Amino acid sequence: MAKMLGVWRKSGSRQGAADLAAAIQLQVFDGQLPLGTRLPAERELAEALGASRTMVGAALDRLRADGVVASRRGSGSWITSPRKAFPDPELSGRGLIDFARAAPPAVAGLIPAVDSARQLLAAELPEHGYFDQGLPVLRDRIAARFTARGLPTTPDEVMITNGAHHAFVLALRMLAGPGDRVLVEQPTYPNALEAIRGVHATAVPVALGDHGWDLDGIEAVLRQASPRLAYLVVDFHNPTGHRLDAAGRERLGSLLTRARTPAVVDETLVELDLEGDPVDGPPPLGRFAPDWTITIGSASKSHWGGLRIGWMRAPEELLGRLRSARYAVDLGSPVLEQLVFAELLADPRPRMAERREELRDRRDALVGALRWYCPDWEFRVPSGGLSVWCKLPEPMSTRLAVTAANHGLQIAPGSRFGVHGGLERRLRLPFALPAEQIHDAVRRLSTAAAAVRGGDRSGLDVPVA
Ligand SMILES: Cc1ncc(COP(=O)(O)O)c(C=O)c1O
């Protein structure tokens, strides 16, 4: 819990209890401390946080007064209603602007694809409908896309899953177990960290800095920590937006091969190249370590998250084992959604061109708004993906997230992207919303940031803008 709370105390603040209450409230609001979660005893929490017991007691008093925490003598304290974590009832009713999720709406053309898929469904109905590896027509089209991008692939090397995250969890369950180490970039995609924790493995971070991958660092970790698996996002990395160039991929591929470490290469964002077609980009990492990579991908960001369609690509023998391991979890993906996506892939170019143009406009809107409202924030303009990774003028990401909620905004603090929290000077901002909403969100964010930096005691008392 101490790790989760991040840097909750404002330096020099004499409002420690308010700061702590606000940080706990943020975790509740963010879903990290779900309803019913039992809190540690005051003494333990005070010790872990390096705070006085009086301060922890005062913070809990505030949370009880706000209805976020309940306590009973002899039974301790637990989280009650996350709804009450919203400081302003008007906001909780209205909902906040979601500036945390990096997920765009559906592409145009989804409904016509559903209509043609309905027609195609008729041919499937006399059969049982279980395709544990996925519909052949869809595997064909996905394999062709890999081949076009420089990784020759047959349909037998592709399995359809319920999204990329599902694909990662399947690979993780098969390749890593309790106590095993999994190499990850730091920062990285928070749900991947969640999945690694879920199999009781340990994420071993290698920093991904302002200039991208530290391949020497990866080499050292492969040698010294002997991880069982690596999880890598080399195309428009989430959250930083970095993309590894072809030479870097070649070296990384040979490092994995030499260390005999399998890697899950997450290509969820690869199609969101805002400066060109991915067929002209660097080839997939799998090309440089064909026996040691499981490449996962998704329809979620290129077409729509609601399809819940993803895939994994691996050498046939390994894929066969992954397919068998799948029976412990599920028995295949829905046929209609696979048909819809296969229809969308029949000629994806016009829709993808539109998608890229839409996201380019949204990225530029975000960059423009940040330069206008937050001129002292630093960031790199990404050439693809869905987010800008900002460096804040001071370590305040968690406090900013708490305060932002009071300004009608939900944001994900930098700590969410770190193996052990931290990253308090960082904030990921997505460009998935329409340009006007992005503008409004950044305006609210700058007001929240001014309140945090101006020393408002915790953000919870900041009036709604
Ligand atoms: C890097 C990365 N991997 C996986 C996912 C989840 O993808 P899916 O919706 O296909 O499960 C996301 C979604 O944000 C992501 O950014």
Side-chain angles (χ1 to χ4, degrees):
M1 184 164 170
K3 274 183 201 155
M4 188 192 279
L5 290 175
V7 180
W8 51 273
R9 197 196 315 236
K10 186 164 173 57
S11 62
S13 163
R14 281 184 286 136
Q15 300 286 349
D19 292 348
L20 177 58
I24 294 175
Q25 204 146 340
L26 173 70
Q27 300 300 334
V28 175
F29 154 68
D30 220 20
Q32 300 296 302
L33 287 175
L35 182 71
T37 305
R38 212 157 264 289
L39 297 178
E42 277 182 28
R43 187 174 37 79
E44 274 176 276
L45 190 55
E47 242 167 59
L49 295 172
S52 73
R53 202 170 157 184
T54 321
M55 183 195 289
V56 171
L60 291 178
D61 282 345
R62 277 173 170 264
L63 292 166
R64 272 188 289 268
D66 288 343
V68 177
V69 163
S71 309
R72 197 179 313 121
R73 193 172 287 280
S75 313
S77 302
W78 61 94
I79 302 298
T80 47
S81 169
R83 284 236 143 262
K84 293 185 186 149
F86 290 94
D88 183 311
E90 228 193 85
L91 281 179
S92 66
R94 230 174 337 121
L96 305 182
I97 298 173
D98 186 349
F99 211 26
R101 200 182 290 267
V107 282
L110 199 92
I111 296 293
V114 172
D115 291 341
S116 17
R118 278 186 64 215
Q119 308 296 322
L120 296 167
L121 187 65
E124 302 296 338
L125 298 180
E127 303 297 328
H128 51 61
Y130 286 85
F131 292 91
D132 48 12
Q133 197 170 341
L135 278 186
V137 59
L138 182 54
R139 289 194 282 124
D140 250 3
R141 287 176 185 167
I142 288 168
R145 185 67 180 159
F146 272 120
T147 304
R149 286 181 42 234
L151 179 60
T153 301
T154 67
D156 290 339
E157 292 171 316
V158 175
M159 176 161 78
I160 307 302
T161 61
N162 307 329
H165 191 56
H166 178 221
F168 177 53
V169 173
L170 290 177
L172 187 64
R173 279 176 53 106
M174 197 181 90
L175 295 167
D180 285 339
R181 286 181 280 269
V182 179
L183 184 154
V184 297
E185 293 132 343
Q186 163 103 327
T188 191
Y189 175 51
N191 290 333
L193 294 176
E194 208 57 57
I196 293 167
R197 283 182 213 114
V199 298
H200 306 288
T202 304
V204 181
V206 180
L208 194 158
D210 292 340
H211 303 291
W213 282 262
D214 170 8
L215 296 177
D216 292 337
I218 291 182
E219 183 174 18
V221 167
L222 287 173
R223 194 160 2 95
Q224 289 157 14
S226 312
R228 284 299 281 270
L229 185 68
Y231 170 75
L232 302 164
V233 187
V234 294
D235 290 284
F236 311 122
H237 174 262
N238 183 2
T240 65
H242 280 292
R243 184 187 216 186
L244 185 62
D245 63 17
R249 287 170 197 234
E250 195 171 350
R251 172 148 184 237
L252 183 50
S254 72
L255 292 178
L256 294 167
T257 308
R258 205 168 337 129
R260 305 175 66 77
T261 304
V264 173
V265 182
D266 186 339
E267 291 193 340
T268 295
L269 296 147
V270 71
E271 295 293 341
L272 306 185
D273 184 342
L274 305 184
E275 266 141 42
D277 191 310
V279 289
D280 305 319
L285 176 56
R287 170 150 155 187
F288 303 105
D291 298 332
W292 296 98
T293 40
I294 298 171
T295 306
I296 64 176
S298 174
S300 292
K301 308 301 156 117
S302 58
H303 291 78
W304 191 41
L307 283 173
R308 304 308 310 136
I309 293 289
W311 53 89
M312 61 205 313
R313 181 223 179 265
E316 253 185 272
E317 190 273 330
L318 177 57
L319 194 78
R321 286 196 284 135
L322 284 160
R323 177 176 157 174
S324 305
R326 182 176 186 165
Y327 299 139
V329 178
D330 70 348
L331 304 177
S333 300
V335 171
L336 182 60
E337 276 77 353
Q338 291 187 71
L339 287 170
V340 171
F341 190 47
E343 279 304 286
L344 289 165
L345 290 188
D347 179 15
R349 274 168 304 181
R351 271 182 301 270
M352 288 316 298
E354 241 176 76
R355 172 62 111 207
R356 292 190 188 108
E357 194 181 321
E358 174 191 53
L359 290 178
R360 207 178 304 123
D361 288 349
R362 292 178 181 197
R363 175 198 62 184
D364 295 346
L366 176 58
V367 166
L370 279 171
R371 287 190 176 139
W372 178 259
Y373 287 112
C374 309
D376 54 351
W377 293 20
E378 293 168 30
F379 56 87
R380 228 185 92 257
V381 179
S383 64
L386 275 168
S387 53
V388 170
W389 184 235
C390 301
K391 192 182 268 175
L392 307 174
E394 56 180 86
M396 62 177 191
S397 200
T398 300
R399 284 175 290 122
L400 182 56
V402 174
T403 305
N406 267 37
H407 292 259
L409 210 57
Q410 182 176 11
I411 55 170
S415 55
R416 292 287 302 280
F417 301 84
V419 172
H420 302 296
L423 303 176
E424 282 291 336
R425 280 197 65 169
R426 295 294 191 163
L427 183 64
R428 182 192 76 171
L429 296 179
F431 44 85
L433 296 172
E436 323 76 71
Q437 272 187 49
I438 287 180
H439 191 91
D440 181 33
V442 176
R443 186 181 54 76
R444 288 167 188 255
L445 193 58
S446 71
T447 317
V452 171
R453 298 181 78 191
D456 273 2
R457 67 169 182 80
S458 70
L460 289 177
D461 293 343
V462 177
V464 177

